[in-house]
């Protein structure tokens, strides 16, 4: 308990109704967020504007993606659209990541690096993960694209993964818990005999690229941190056809691949917690 971050009302600040509520929950043993995890209405509007551009980027990719193109071409579309709108791709030079977007094909789970020698082929599934900085505000979302004729079972993986994101978001309620989200995702994935990647998670986002809290895509109802209005975080389930285990490519230090080299899918949105549930900021 001593080590845990707490909800602290700064000295001299008159506690709000939310402060009183969170202090009460905290005293009764709930794992609550810190006060800093709650965004102001102004910050939320900034993240929302970043999200509008981020969605525009993904729409631009959707309009142009096709069999036979390289992932480097996707990177150029992302870079140009983003810069044309006065924004910056958040991944570019982020901890040394060299490109403006992550492109993850088939057995690549996430963090694939666009390349001039990587072509989209008939039957491929590709995740395009876009994150944008606009006026200092961050947003983050990804979609799957199916190239040509995708095998029915792989198509099913893509669809179930999208359902996992939607069900996870629908399970989130103000003053519920992050475990409600993970539980909904895990239940749906495993019901369909797929597995949930545990080594990567959703995350707080907005003032930085990756903030607290960690949003796991597995878990138990009623467990984990309380979900509180004003929190902004991603949900981005990575669902595998085979085993949940992954490894990182040693050569580039980034590309995350399934241990059994079976396909993996991912969908992601940035959400804000409102008084009614989650609102998507990356539509
Ligand atoms: N958009 C990814 C995420 O959801 C970005 C990972 S950081 C990168 O967090 F550098 F690998 F791109
Ligand atoms: Co993310």
């Amino acid at each position: 308990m001593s080590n845990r971050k707490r909800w602290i009302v700064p000295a001299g600040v008159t506690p709000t109704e939310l402060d009183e509520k969170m202090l009460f929950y905290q005293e009764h043993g709930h794992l609550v967020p810190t006060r800093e995890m709650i965004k102001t209405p102004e910050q939320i509007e900034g993240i929302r504007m970043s999200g509008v551009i981020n969605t525009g980027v993904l729409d631009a990719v959707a309009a142009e993606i096709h069999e036979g193109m390289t992932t480097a071409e996707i990177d150029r579309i992302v870079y140009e659209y983003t810069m044309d709108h006065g924004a910056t791709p958040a991944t570019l030079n982020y901890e040394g990541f060299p490109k403006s977007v992550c492109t993850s094909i088939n057995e690549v789970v996430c963090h694939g690096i666009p390349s001039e020698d990587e072509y989209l082929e008939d039957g491929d599934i590709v995740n395009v993960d876009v994150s944008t900085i606009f006026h200092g505000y961050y947003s983050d979302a990804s979609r799957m694209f199916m190239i040509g004729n995708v095998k029915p079972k792989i198509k099913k993986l893509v669809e179930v993964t999208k359902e996992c994101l939607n069900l996870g978001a629908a399970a989130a309620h103000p003053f519920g818990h992050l475990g409600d989200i993970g539980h909904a995702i895990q239940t749906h994935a495993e019901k369909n005999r797929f597995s949930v990647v545990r080594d990567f998670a959703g995350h707080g986002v907005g003032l930085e690229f990756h903030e607290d809290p960690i949003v796991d895509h597995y878990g138990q109802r009623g467990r984990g941190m309380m979900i509180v209005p004003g929190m902004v975080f991603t949900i981005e389930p990575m669902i595998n056809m085979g085993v949940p285990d992954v490894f990182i490519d040693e050569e580039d230090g980034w590309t995350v691949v399934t241990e059994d080299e079976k396909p993996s899918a991912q969908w992601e949105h940035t959400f804000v917690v409102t008084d009614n549930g989650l609102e998507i900021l990356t539509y």
Side-chain angles (χ1 to χ4, degrees):
M1 187 69 183
S2 57
N3 231 346
R4 189 196 275 176
K5 289 186 187 162
R6 295 177 61 83
W7 186 284
I8 297 164
V9 183
V13 170
T14 312
T16 63
E17 217 172 289
L18 183 64
D19 284 325
E20 303 286 8
K21 192 164 177 164
M22 296 323 295
L23 291 170
F24 176 86
Y25 279 130
Q26 180 162 264
E27 273 160 33
H28 288 77
H30 285 267
L31 180 56
V32 300
T34 64
R35 203 172 187 267
E36 292 66 39
M37 286 186 210
I38 311 303
K39 264 72 177 177
T40 65
E42 186 196 351
Q43 290 169 338
I44 292 164
E45 286 321 297
I47 302 164
R48 188 189 300 283
M49 286 197 279
S50 174
V52 169
I53 297 172
N54 202 73
T55 301
V57 176
L58 278 164
D59 288 344
V61 171
E64 293 193 46
I65 198 164
H66 61 270
E67 187 181 336
M69 84 193 293
T70 66
T71 49
E73 288 175 66
I74 298 175
D75 182 65
R76 283 193 283 276
I77 295 166
V78 169
Y79 181 79
E80 273 160 32
Y81 185 101
T82 306
M83 300 306 278
D84 282 352
H85 288 78
T88 314
T91 57
L92 190 56
N93 303 319
Y94 174 78
E95 293 184 6
F97 192 84
K99 296 287 179 182
S100 298
V101 60
C102 299
T103 50
S104 304
I105 300 177
N106 299 336
E107 72 279 6
V108 177
V109 175
C110 61
H111 302 173
I113 305 173
S115 158
E116 300 290 353
D117 359 273
E118 186 179 53
Y119 291 85
L120 300 183
E121 291 173 10
D122 182 43
D124 282 349
I125 57 169
V126 56
N127 175 271
V128 177
D129 190 342
V130 176
S131 37
T132 297
I133 316 171
F134 183 64
H135 292 178
Y137 293 108
Y138 290 73
S139 57
D140 189 2
S142 79
R143 297 181 195 165
M144 295 299 296
F145 296 97
M146 298 196 253
I147 309 301
N149 289 311
V150 173
K151 286 194 189 128
K153 189 165 181 206
I154 300 178
K155 217 176 236 179
K156 176 89 178 166
L157 174 70
V158 171
E159 283 159 8
V160 167
T161 304
K162 190 176 194 177
E163 290 161 7
C164 283
L165 172 57
N166 294 336
L167 290 167
H173 301 289
F175 310 105
H177 294 80
L178 289 177
D180 305 347
I181 299 172
H183 180 263
I185 291 169
Q186 183 181 5
T187 302
H188 191 61
E190 291 177 357
K191 195 175 78 189
N192 285 280
R193 296 168 185 242
F194 298 135
S195 68
V196 177
V197 173
R198 291 172 179 244
D199 294 355
F200 295 89
H203 51 91
V205 64
L207 310 184
E208 292 172 60
F209 195 172
H210 296 110
E211 304 176 359
D212 285 336
I214 289 167
V215 181
D216 282 320
H217 302 114
Y218 60 92
Q220 290 169 267
R221 257 189 219 128
R223 298 289 186 93
M225 187 179 287
M226 193 170 264
I227 297 169
V228 176
M231 290 170 85
V232 176
F233 54 76
T234 72
I235 306 176
E236 47 182 301
M238 285 143 274
I239 306 297
N240 291 356
M241 184 98 95
V243 298
D245 313 77
V246 302
F247 67 94
I248 298 177
D249 183 298
E250 275 176 31
E251 259 164 57
D252 67 24
W254 280 105
T255 309
V256 179
V257 186
T258 57
E259 191 74 56
D260 57 12
E261 300 195 7
K262 290 186 180 171
S264 180
Q266 178 179 30
W267 291 83
E268 173 180 22
H269 275 306
T270 296
F271 298 90
V272 60
V273 183
T274 73
D275 291 332
N276 307 310
L278 295 193
E279 184 194 346
I280 302 178
L281 295 179
T282 44
Y283 248 143

